[in-house]
Amino acid sequence: MDLSNNYENGGVNGMKVVPNEVKLVRIIWVDASGHHRCRVIPSTRFNDVVKKNGVGLSVVCMARSSYTDVPIGKNLTGAGEIRLLPDLSTKRIVPWMEQEEMVMGDMYIRPGEAWEYCPREALRRLSSILKNEFDLEMKAGFEIEFLLLKKAVKDGKEDWVPFDSSLYCSTSSYDATAPFFHDVVDSLNSLNITVEQLHAEAAKGQFEFALGYTTCLTAADELIYTREVIKAVARKHGLLATFIPKYAMDDVGSGCHVHISLWQNGKNVLMAADKSSKHGMSTIGEEFMAGVLYHIPSILPFIAPLPNSYDRIQPNTWCGAYHCWGKDNREAPIRTASPPGIGVTSVSNFEVKSFDGLANPYLGLASILCAGLDGLRNHIQLPQPIDTNPSYMGLKFQRLPQSLSEALEALENNNTFTDLIGERLLAAIKEIRKAEVEYYTKHQDAYKQLIHHY
């Protein structure tokens, strides 16, 4: 059921959906460091002016880091302005705040001319290339891990600590948080976002939502809205939800695993058409995934964007620390999946486990698309899958970059992304990531403040 045009086209089943005296509209965008930001517009002005012309926004909006609003680099400064235009197909009633709506924003130099730094436009453009060159569409579905923290007095000071200390899929942990989960699921249902399952995860106070798969741009939009819902509902319950990859260094981290599939004319064509396939995938499926595997060191600055991200990507933590792939192997950074109903010899999608909750999902999916396109264009071949924990196999497999600095070095030496992502956008991303490395190297405990930002 598509709710995207409820406001303009008569609603669901012909019933007009009229928000209860909507007073304010939030226009949301996500910067290069993954922060959710918004401008809030009175509804009358939104409908009279902003819906068509957008709002002014400094170009600095895409030059901010995780730790400061001071612009990074020399290309995007206080000089220059763009237009933030609402994508009306994404407009929704805010479930947790009466009399408000929210909508995703696109960045334009002027109406009709997209800004080359716009993350949503970058993902749109790469999706169009995949469609035009190969008649394919990439779909994505996210698994969102997060921590629920509660206030406590620690060493005489008020602090945030994990909600509980239960184990993976603990029934008691779910029962204790059921009121929170009910509110989140109700909110997501009102946004027409599919929740496939939810459970307690392995870390203290950690939980997970698995969302349904959909087209790339919609999947990224729904991830943003889901994060907004989780954080807002947590606040209403007196809790703090955070998507930080590594909160406690002696516990497992939180990811934002993404499942990828390829579609053509309504059919999943990543899956093999018959049982003759060696790995359960079609040739185009293998080549696309091979491109992602080949380029994953260079993808990391997009999907694991802060130094804290690499504290999570460690062996024996189901994060995928080695450069390999496997069939249903959760110690590989890329694993193929055969969900119930698909059959053990077939593959419906592959999962990229390195993606985390700090990433801008539009840029993250764009980087995966970019690598997959290279795999298709150059017919990159898959190596053999790994059916055991690669850390048990000695030096046979190379570690993925163990720091953001190493990942940036891989990206610097990779020319594939320049044309497809865009030279200027890529340069801005690199500058911000380098600044993140420098800052967190100098301020070892600064990552602890990320719980308030993500």
Side-chain angles (χ1 to χ4, degrees):
M1 182 168 57
D2 182 7
L3 301 185
S4 63
N5 295 313
N6 283 348
Y7 307 98
E8 283 73 30
N9 295 331
V12 181
N13 298 327
M15 296 177 62
K16 188 70 174 180
V17 177
V18 181
N20 181 22
E21 295 181 17
V22 171
K23 293 182 178 179
L24 299 170
V25 182
R26 310 177 185 191
I27 309 178
I28 299 173
W29 76 96
V30 185
D31 66 22
S33 293
H35 286 126
H36 298 193
R37 300 179 185 264
C38 71
R39 284 285 183 86
V40 185
I41 314 297
S43 60
T44 300
R45 178 169 177 79
F46 180 88
N47 290 321
D48 291 347
V49 179
V50 174
K51 185 162 67 172
K52 180 180 179 180
N53 300 306
V55 295
L57 200 63
S58 169
V59 298
V60 167
C61 66
M62 285 299 290
R64 292 185 169 115
S65 68
S66 67
Y67 59 87
T68 180
D69 278 341
V70 175
I72 303 298
K74 298 179 180 179
N75 292 325
L76 299 175
T77 67
E81 186 166 289
I82 58 164
R83 309 298 296 176
L84 184 67
L85 270 75
D87 178 350
L88 297 178
S89 71
T90 68
K91 191 167 68 164
R92 302 288 187 271
I93 297 172
V94 176
W96 63 90
M97 186 69 69
E98 292 184 357
Q99 299 179 312
E100 286 199 23
E101 292 175 327
M102 58 186 176
V103 63
M104 298 306 304
D106 287 313
M107 299 169 180
Y108 286 83
I109 295 174
R110 59 187 63 84
E113 185 179 350
W115 191 40
E116 60 190 318
Y117 292 89
C118 176
R120 294 182 90 238
E121 180 61 24
L123 181 54
R124 269 198 206 96
R125 184 166 41 78
L126 279 156
S127 297
S128 295
I129 293 172
L130 182 66
K131 178 66 175 177
N132 294 335
E133 288 191 22
F134 298 99
D135 192 27
L136 295 173
E137 182 176 48
M138 186 176 99
K139 293 188 177 183
F142 286 97
E143 297 177 6
I144 307 169
E145 294 176 337
F146 60 96
L147 299 181
L148 278 181
L149 307 178
K150 62 183 179 181
K151 283 186 177 179
V153 176
K154 188 176 180 182
D155 299 328
K157 298 180 181 179
E158 193 175 75
D159 198 2
W160 291 97
V161 299
F163 177 81
D164 66 6
S165 299
S166 296
L167 302 175
Y168 174 76
C169 282
S170 163
T171 54
S172 61
S173 183
Y174 169 75
D175 200 43
T177 51
F180 163 81
F181 279 124
H182 280 254
D183 286 351
V184 171
V185 171
D186 286 345
S187 292
L188 294 178
N189 285 341
S190 76
L191 297 172
N192 198 34
I193 295 175
T194 300
V195 177
E196 293 197 341
Q197 56 181 300
L198 50 96
H199 60 265
E201 260 294 347
K204 296 180 179 67
Q206 187 184 41
F207 301 90
E208 178 182 300
F209 275 87
L211 304 183
Y213 67 88
T214 183
T215 57
C216 280
L217 189 65
T218 300
D221 290 341
E222 290 186 353
L223 176 61
I224 299 306
Y225 282 156
T226 301
R227 288 175 181 168
E228 290 288 301
V229 166
I230 290 171
K231 292 185 77 70
V233 172
R235 285 193 295 270
K236 291 217 167 189
H237 284 263
L239 303 169
L240 175 66
T242 178
F243 304 96
I244 182 174
K246 194 74 166 180
Y247 172 74
M249 295 301 158
D250 60 350
D251 208 344
V252 296
S254 294
C256 187
H257 312 153
V258 63
H259 292 258
I260 301 296
S261 53
L262 292 175
W263 293 73
Q264 188 177 71
N265 299 323
K267 181 180 178 182
N268 185 346
V269 294
L270 184 137
M271 192 185 310
D274 55 47
K275 296 182 180 180
S276 63
S277 168
K278 186 176 181 180
H279 302 306
M281 288 179 283
S282 64
T283 299
I284 59 172
E286 288 190 12
E287 290 180 353
F288 188 92
M289 193 181 88
V292 177
L293 177 63
Y294 179 81
H295 290 290
I296 196 167
S298 302
I299 292 173
L300 286 178
F302 297 88
I303 65 175
L306 264 65
N308 182 260
S309 301
Y310 299 81
D311 293 326
R312 179 182 79 93
I313 305 174
Q314 299 295 326
N316 305 312
T317 59
W318 290 18
C319 294
Y322 290 85
H323 199 163
C324 61
W325 76 280
K327 299 178 179 180
D328 281 319
N329 186 347
R330 286 171 171 79
E331 281 296 339
I334 294 177
R335 75 170 182 104
T336 55
S338 303
I342 297 299
V344 294
T345 59
S346 297
V347 167
S348 66
N349 65 84
F350 66 89
E351 178 187 27
V352 180
K353 301 186 69 66
S354 310
F355 215 114
D356 70 37
L358 306 183
N360 179 313
Y362 306 101
L363 297 177
L365 290 176
S367 70
I368 292 171
L369 253 171
C370 179
L373 275 165
D374 190 54
L376 292 173
R377 287 172 170 177
N378 292 295
H379 305 291
I380 297 177
Q381 299 299 298
L382 271 178
Q384 289 299 307
I386 304 307
D387 60 4
T388 188
N389 188 333
S391 66
Y392 297 164
M393 303 179 73
L395 300 177
K396 185 174 180 180
F397 293 101
Q398 184 178 357
R399 280 287 301 271
L400 288 181
Q402 298 182 56
S403 67
L404 181 54
S405 294
E406 288 184 29
L408 276 171
E409 184 177 354
L411 183 58
E412 290 279 9
N413 294 325
N414 190 329
N415 296 322
T416 300
F417 291 79
T418 305
D419 291 337
L420 290 172
I421 298 295
E423 185 175 358
R424 292 184 180 180
L425 174 56
L426 189 60
I429 292 169
K430 289 177 182 178
E431 285 184 323
I432 292 169
R433 301 295 183 265
K434 290 174 183 177
E436 304 281 14
V437 170
E438 182 178 356
Y439 178 79
Y440 290 102
T441 299
K442 292 179 179 178
H443 304 86
Q444 294 289 323
D445 290 334
Y447 76 92
K448 296 177 181 178
Q449 294 304 309
L450 294 175
I451 64 171
H452 302 291
H453 300 164
Y454 298 92

